[in-house]
């Protein structure tokens, strides 16, 4: 079994285990434990990137299954309304989330905040592409963007070996792989990974034909085209 296949099955196992754990916490009325997991992940994002999104988040786990089903049924993946795809909406969602969480912690009241986020994320992804949730609406993602932006660990594309096919950008569920348009006609466009938006879901790694996307902790170098 190849290393990539081992990582793939390990990721699937991890996602399913944490989804079951999330549901168990809901059933037991101990969902506050999940916030402890998220807060720990928020800190660890400084060192490893947004692994919470790609490996632990129950919303992403269900959305991944939804995306596979939609592909099998050849259902359209709409980008979503423009008014939802804005920084204003992104930060309003995060602010509301923080205000409600603060209210819960201070008042001691039980609000179905996390289950509600799960329902919203799953419903939206039934009609629109995952990127609407991951990049614009998910309050978890907005909070994780800042530590992820300064993290040295990230997925990188070896620009010297990149064929510029754009497959990685097409499969990315958070639109984290961005195309840089060349200013000259003698050079083709290049693709780079925005680590603040990257979920570490590894979809790009598995889909890249020449297999030149890898996770590392080195600082950007000239060979990376950064």
């Amino acid at each position: 079994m190849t290393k990539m296949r081992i990582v793939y099955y390990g990721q699937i196992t991890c996602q399913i285990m944490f989804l079951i754990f999330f549901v168990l916490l809901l059933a037991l009325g101990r969902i506050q434990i999940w916030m402890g997991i998220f807060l720990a992940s928020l800190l660890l994002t400084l060192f490893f990137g947004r692994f919470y999104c790609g490996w632990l988040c129950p919303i992403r786990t269900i959305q991944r299954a939804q995306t596979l089903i939609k592909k099998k049924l050849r259902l359209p993946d709409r980008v979503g309304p423009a008014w939802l795809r804005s920084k204003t909406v992104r930060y309003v969602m995060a602010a509301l989330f923080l205000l409600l969480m603060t209210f819960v912690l201070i008042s001691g009241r039980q609000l179905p905040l996390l289950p509600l986020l799960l329902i919203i994320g799953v419903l939206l992804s039934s009609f629109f592409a995952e990127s609407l949730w991951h990049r614009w609406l998910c309050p978890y993602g907005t909070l994780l963007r800042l530590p992820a932006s300064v993290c040295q660990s990230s997925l990188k594309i070896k620009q010297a070996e990149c064929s510029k096919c754009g497959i990685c950008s097409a499969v990315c569920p958070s639109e984290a792989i961005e195309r840089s348009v060349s200013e000259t006609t003698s050079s083709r466009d290049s693709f780079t990974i925005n680590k603040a938006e990257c979920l570490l879901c590894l979809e790009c790694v598995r889909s890249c034909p020449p297999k030149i996307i890898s996770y590392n902790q080195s600082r950007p170098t000239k060979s990376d085209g950064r």
Side-chain angles (χ1 to χ4, degrees):
M1 184 179 292
T2 65
K3 179 180 179 182
M4 187 175 296
R5 184 61 62 178
I6 292 172
V7 172
Y8 173 74
Y9 285 123
Q11 183 185 36
I12 293 293
T13 301
C14 188
Q15 289 175 325
I16 293 174
M17 287 177 59
F18 274 90
L19 175 59
I20 293 172
F21 185 52
F22 179 81
V23 173
L24 183 62
L25 290 177
L26 281 178
L28 297 175
R30 302 292 301 277
I31 197 62
Q32 64 272 17
I33 294 176
W34 192 264
M35 285 310 302
I37 293 174
F38 175 72
L39 291 175
S41 300
L42 187 65
L43 176 62
L44 291 174
T45 298
L46 285 166
F47 305 97
F48 303 107
R50 290 174 57 174
F51 70 94
Y52 173 87
C53 300
W55 291 71
L56 310 184
C57 180
I59 303 176
R60 161 62 183 158
T61 299
I62 297 175
Q63 287 174 329
R64 181 178 187 178
Q66 286 179 292
T67 297
L68 291 174
I69 292 172
K70 285 194 291 184
K71 285 182 178 179
K72 289 288 186 181
L73 298 177
R74 297 184 179 180
L75 298 176
D77 237 2
R78 302 177 181 87
V79 296
W83 65 271
L84 283 178
R85 300 169 66 84
S86 69
K87 291 183 179 180
T88 299
V89 173
R90 169 192 281 174
Y91 293 123
V92 167
M93 286 284 290
L96 286 174
F97 176 75
L98 289 174
L99 285 173
L100 287 172
M101 285 305 304
T102 301
F103 172 77
V104 169
L105 292 173
I106 293 176
S107 66
R109 294 188 179 184
Q110 296 294 323
L111 295 178
L113 183 56
L114 300 189
L116 183 60
L117 281 179
L118 177 66
I119 293 171
I120 293 173
V122 170
L123 283 177
L124 283 173
S125 294
S126 297
F127 302 99
F128 304 109
E130 284 188 59
S131 58
L132 178 63
W133 178 255
H134 296 310
R135 186 168 181 122
W136 302 105
L137 301 180
C138 178
Y140 287 133
T142 301
L143 295 176
L144 290 168
R145 286 181 76 251
L146 181 58
S149 66
V150 297
C151 176
Q152 289 302 317
S153 301
S154 64
L155 288 173
K156 292 183 175 65
I157 300 172
K158 296 179 182 178
Q159 296 296 334
E161 301 175 39
C162 180
S163 63
K164 322 298 182 188
C165 65
I167 292 176
C168 58
S169 180
V171 301
C172 179
S174 63
E175 300 178 354
I177 302 180
E178 302 166 350
R179 184 178 70 175
S180 301
V181 180
S182 174
E183 296 180 357
T184 66
T185 57
S186 60
S187 177
R188 289 185 292 174
D189 302 344
S190 62
F191 293 87
T192 55
I193 300 175
N194 182 341
K195 60 185 178 182
E197 305 290 356
C198 177
L199 309 181
L200 291 182
C201 64
L202 306 182
E203 296 291 349
C204 60
V205 177
R206 289 187 284 268
S207 301
C208 177
K211 307 301 179 187
I212 46 81
I213 303 176
S214 60
Y215 178 82
N216 60 71
Q217 294 180 283
S218 62
R219 291 180 178 275
T221 62
K222 291 182 179 180
S223 62
D224 288 323
R226 297 291 190 99

